[in-house]
Amino acid sequence: MMAHDVADEFYDLPEGTNWFVYGASIVAVGVYWMVVFPLPWVGGLFGLVGLWFVFDGVTTIRYGPSRTTPGYMSDLENEQWGETMLRMQTLNVIYQALKNADGPRTAPELATDLDLTESRIERALEFLEHEGRIEHEKGHYRADPPRWGRLTPVVQFVVWLPRRVSRPFRRVTANA
């Protein structure tokens, strides 16, 4: 992986190459386990997982990334670590303020209450709305309570995993 990072720095490798390299290294670990240890099923499992990463990397290289990053987070690629943390903190502060509010709030009200600029508030609200964390209705925003309560992250993972595993296969069939 370090060799990939160095090569990526010099040659600007396409997105997905990291998955390809990671998958190839997992396949190598799987082959090693199959040859050296008396548990070939462990090596086979490593190999299968590694082949999936290779396939995902190849489809990402061939067809491009499947999801674009929203504007609020996409321009952070070349930013300093501090700006990334500031934006994450801003998202949390705004969400908590909406969650604890008595009713829907407007962007100017949030800017005044949180002592932030209105433009920063509006960009964060757009992102939170895009992610489905808040609802926007006639200029007012309110927190969208989690549907499953504390189990929401578990439910989201259970829904996400099959979609993520099948994503490279969907790419190939959609572009065939």
Side-chain angles (χ1 to χ4, degrees):
M1 292 306 294
M2 286 177 32
H4 166 266
D5 291 342
V6 169
D8 189 30
E9 193 70 32
F10 284 112
Y11 299 110
D12 192 30
L13 299 173
E15 192 164 337
T17 308
N18 56 340
W19 289 113
F20 179 81
V21 171
Y22 182 67
S25 62
I26 292 177
V27 168
V29 168
V31 169
Y32 176 78
W33 268 78
M34 289 177 76
V35 171
V36 174
F37 295 104
L39 297 170
W41 66 270
V42 174
L45 184 63
F46 272 109
L48 184 63
V49 169
L51 286 175
W52 180 86
F53 277 105
V54 167
F55 185 53
D56 188 46
V58 168
T59 58
T60 302
I61 292 168
R62 173 99 167 99
Y63 304 115
S66 64
R67 182 176 176 186
T68 58
T69 307
Y72 186 74
M73 298 307 261
S74 66
D75 57 351
L76 288 176
E77 200 169 286
N78 298 324
E79 293 289 333
Q80 296 294 325
W81 175 254
E83 178 64 20
T84 303
M85 295 307 296
L86 178 64
R87 287 188 188 184
M88 297 299 288
Q89 182 182 10
T90 301
L91 290 172
N92 184 45
V93 166
I94 292 170
Y95 180 76
Q96 292 300 324
L98 288 172
K99 184 177 162 186
N100 297 331
D102 295 335
R105 309 291 306 272
T106 64
E109 290 173 344
L110 285 168
T112 303
D113 292 347
L114 301 175
D115 197 28
L116 294 169
T117 63
E118 197 170 325
S119 63
R120 188 173 281 273
I121 293 282
E122 287 172 351
R123 291 189 68 209
L125 288 171
E126 287 173 11
F127 178 77
L128 287 169
E129 183 181 6
H130 177 268
E131 293 296 310
R133 301 290 309 237
I134 64 173
E135 293 177 350
H136 177 231
E137 191 174 301
K138 297 179 184 173
H140 289 77
Y141 296 89
R142 68 180 180 89
D144 190 16
R147 183 175 179 186
W148 303 98
R150 289 182 168 215
L151 291 177
T152 298
V154 175
V155 171
Q156 288 174 336
F157 176 75
V158 168
V159 169
W160 169 83
L161 186 61
R163 284 187 298 164
R164 180 62 180 98
V165 169
S166 65
R167 183 172 73 185
F169 300 101
R170 287 192 317 264
R171 274 191 204 142
V172 170
T173 57
N175 294 303

